[in-house]
Amino acid sequence: MQIHSNHIPFSSSLSWVLFLILMINIAGCDLSVNHEINGSTNEYSEQDFDRLGITNKDKLSTASKRALAWPKVGNEWFGEFKVFDLKGDLAYEEGVVRRDPSAVIQVNGQYFVWYSRGTGPTQGFAGDIENEKVFPWDRCDIWYATSDDGWTWKEEGLAVGRGPKGAYDDRSVFTTEILVHQGKYYLTYQTVKSPYVVRVKNQIGLAWADSPHGPWTKSDEPILSPADNGIWKGEEDNRFNVVKKGDFDSHKVHDPCLLFYRNKFYLYYKGEQMGEEITFGGRQIRHGLAIADNPLGPYIKSPYNPISNSGHEICVWNYNSGIASLITTDGPEKNTIQWAPDGINFEIKSVIKGAPHAIGLNRSLDAESEPFAAFEWGLTHQYKSHDYQYIRRFEGTRRTTHVAKGESKGK
Ligand code: AAL
């Protein structure tokens, strides 16, 4: 039978369409397939499987299922850190504790940082609690320093000191963070009332000023306290003996960091629980959030607390209409950067090797330009000894290649 090119029968055109689809597939075009992962059906492209090196789609290991469930992040949240000595007054000084630096802010071209400052060695809880130090951050005050270049710092002196005997902050004020909002300066910090026994309950205080040089006005009362629903067992001054643990922050509220977000004041903090356990090879530390309409409070704890299952010192920043958080030190998700589109529901974005502790982020950087931009440089602290810690500078860079010497990066 003779076939005229301008008159192709229906069955032949169908074969052509099928042939074309086959060719498109072979050419690696992005045709999606549905696949059931962990009970829910998701759509994956051939490229998804190819990128993850999964060739046999009918035999997926648990790890491959997890890999398929990862959010589609690239390399932008991953990076590495280096730490350097500072010069001037913040260089290491024997006999002086300088630790837990706040965020770095820039005012009229000058950098400012606040930090816990104390002197003398630490005897611990077996010493003379009334007169000695139980921790390096005991008997501290909040001091501040300035710098023109971020390397050489001048210690300016006291910013916020301990309260008078009997006040909620009469024993130590420490581990501070700064927020600048509408031309005013807000310092949030930890407070302890004497005697600093093991079971003492740490609280969070606030001070405000019109200038970074002060003078600072302190709140009459703490702005945040531990949950009051744990029950100690027995009279021994021991934090592991409990009848009931209570909330994740039933013992201490620590490491406050205030951010302005969604027209409110988001106070992120670390909680310590009565009857704390060792889990996942670390302490049971989780983060919480308390929100206020006004920077001076009242701060209402989020019903979603705890908002992390891991971490230690708080390191949070505004990013892409949400809040990013570096989680270090304790818990199953330690050494990760997480991000929450709503400031509450955090997802892991990357795993970080050797992240500096107690980071004071540099708020003068354009942290919105890319996820890792917040880490260009900032401050951290390091233990020189059990007694004395000092403030150092970190620099974070994104990791974009892994090539051998002389190897081309490819396109
Ligand atoms: C730090 C912080 C808080 C603790 C102590 C000093 O790492 O978590 O500040 O109270 O240790």
Side-chain angles (χ1 to χ4, degrees):
M1 188 179 85
Q2 204 183 353
I3 297 173
H4 298 283
S5 56
N6 58 352
H7 188 231
I8 302 170
F10 176 73
S11 60
S12 282
S13 23
L14 187 65
S15 324
W16 268 107
V17 171
L18 289 175
F19 176 71
L20 267 176
I21 289 176
L22 184 70
M23 292 312 288
I24 288 168
N25 244 327
I26 289 170
C29 257
D30 206 7
L31 290 182
S32 299
V33 285
N34 287 325
H35 222 89
E36 197 191 308
I37 306 285
N38 299 337
S40 61
T41 306
N42 295 299
E43 229 182 48
Y44 296 104
S45 69
E46 284 299 327
Q47 278 165 349
D48 290 333
F49 287 104
D50 189 44
R51 183 169 188 241
L52 295 168
I54 299 168
T55 332
N56 190 342
K57 300 179 198 109
D58 299 323
K59 298 278 181 205
L60 293 176
S61 66
T62 306
S64 291
K65 286 180 187 171
R66 274 205 306 278
L68 282 162
W70 284 337
K72 290 202 174 76
V73 284
N75 196 42
E76 58 273 17
W77 290 88
F78 289 78
E80 295 173 331
F81 292 90
K82 284 190 177 147
V83 179
F84 306 89
D85 280 338
L86 294 174
K87 297 179 202 150
D89 294 337
L90 295 194
Y92 177 71
E93 189 180 347
E94 188 72 17
V96 181
V97 173
R98 290 190 186 90
R99 55 174 294 144
D100 291 295
S102 71
V104 174
I105 60 164
Q106 202 177 21
V107 185
N108 298 328
Q110 207 176 25
Y111 294 112
F112 285 75
V113 67
W114 290 259
Y115 47 90
S116 318
R117 188 185 185 282
T119 50
T122 291
Q123 276 78 21
F125 289 104
D128 173 4
I129 286 179
E130 283 301 332
N131 297 297
E132 296 173 341
K133 287 173 67 165
V134 299
F135 283 123
W137 50 89
D138 184 11
R139 301 185 190 283
C140 276
D141 299 291
I142 297 165
W143 285 48
Y144 76 115
T146 56
S147 171
D148 291 331
D149 59 4
W151 287 101
T152 304
W153 291 82
K154 173 175 181 287
E155 189 160 72
E156 300 278 356
L158 180 74
V160 177
R162 283 162 267 182
K165 200 167 169 46
Y168 69 93
D169 58 352
D170 71 354
R171 177 71 183 230
S172 196
V173 289
F174 56 113
T175 310
T176 191
E177 264 296 346
I178 182 86
L179 172 73
V180 187
H181 182 73
Q182 293 184 341
K184 290 209 185 305
Y185 299 81
Y186 300 93
L187 283 175
T188 51
Y189 47 87
Q190 291 180 208
T191 64
V192 177
K193 185 177 191 316
S194 228
Y196 202 150
V197 291
V198 171
R199 285 183 174 181
V200 76
K201 294 216 168 188
N202 289 200
Q203 294 171 300
I204 290 174
L206 174 82
W208 58 93
D210 292 328
S211 153
H213 292 287
W216 296 90
T217 305
K218 284 205 275 185
S219 55
D220 293 336
E221 300 290 332
I223 57 163
L224 205 75
S225 296
D228 199 17
N229 55 3
I231 304 169
W232 296 118
K233 185 177 178 184
E235 294 304 311
E236 187 198 339
D237 188 28
N238 177 305
R239 68 192 171 95
F240 305 110
N241 297 344
V242 287
V243 174
K244 185 178 180 297
K245 289 175 175 240
D247 289 0
F248 80 102
D249 60 351
S250 57
H251 190 188
K252 294 179 179 178
V253 287
H254 273 175
D255 295 273
C257 181
L258 194 53
L259 293 182
F260 182 63
Y261 180 59
R262 293 188 170 183
N263 263 326
K264 292 186 189 289
F265 296 86
Y266 275 51
L267 180 66
Y268 289 89
Y269 66 98
K270 174 189 119 191
E272 291 194 2
Q273 192 177 25
M274 293 163 61
E276 179 187 296
E277 291 175 38
I278 292 287
T279 54
F280 297 96
R283 296 179 58 193
Q284 250 184 336
I285 299 286
R286 285 139 301 186
H287 295 169
L289 169 65
I291 302 173
D293 293 331
N294 184 300
L296 305 192
Y299 284 90
I300 311 294
K301 289 183 185 175
S302 168
Y304 293 97
N305 282 351
I307 47 118
S308 83
N309 56 37
S310 305
H312 204 90
E313 295 99 351
I314 301 286
C315 172
V316 286
W317 69 102
N318 299 68
Y319 177 74
N320 194 19
S321 308
I323 301 294
S325 173
L326 172 68
I327 297 283
T328 63
T329 317
D330 293 304
E333 295 179 4
K334 63 173 166 270
N335 302 328
T336 61
I337 301 180
Q338 310 195 357
W339 180 77
D342 56 1
I344 292 172
N345 292 290
F346 286 87
E347 294 282 0
I348 295 175
K349 292 292 187 186
S350 63
V351 178
I352 294 297
K353 190 169 67 175
H357 290 183
I359 276 187
L361 285 174
N362 180 351
R363 303 275 187 218
S364 74
L365 297 170
D366 175 14
E368 287 282 359
S369 64
E370 62 161 6
F372 215 74
F375 294 122
E376 192 181 309
W377 73 267
L379 298 178
T380 176
H381 73 205
Q382 210 156 320
Y383 277 68
K384 192 77 159 183
S385 65
H386 174 68
D387 289 331
Y388 304 116
Q389 295 83 54
Y390 65 128
I391 296 175
R392 303 187 78 200
R393 173 177 165 126
F394 72 79
E395 292 183 0
T397 44
R398 268 189 62 196
R399 174 132 197 210
T400 52
T401 54
H402 177 77
V403 287
K405 194 173 179 184
E407 189 184 12
S408 116
K409 286 183 194 165
K411 295 207 172 76

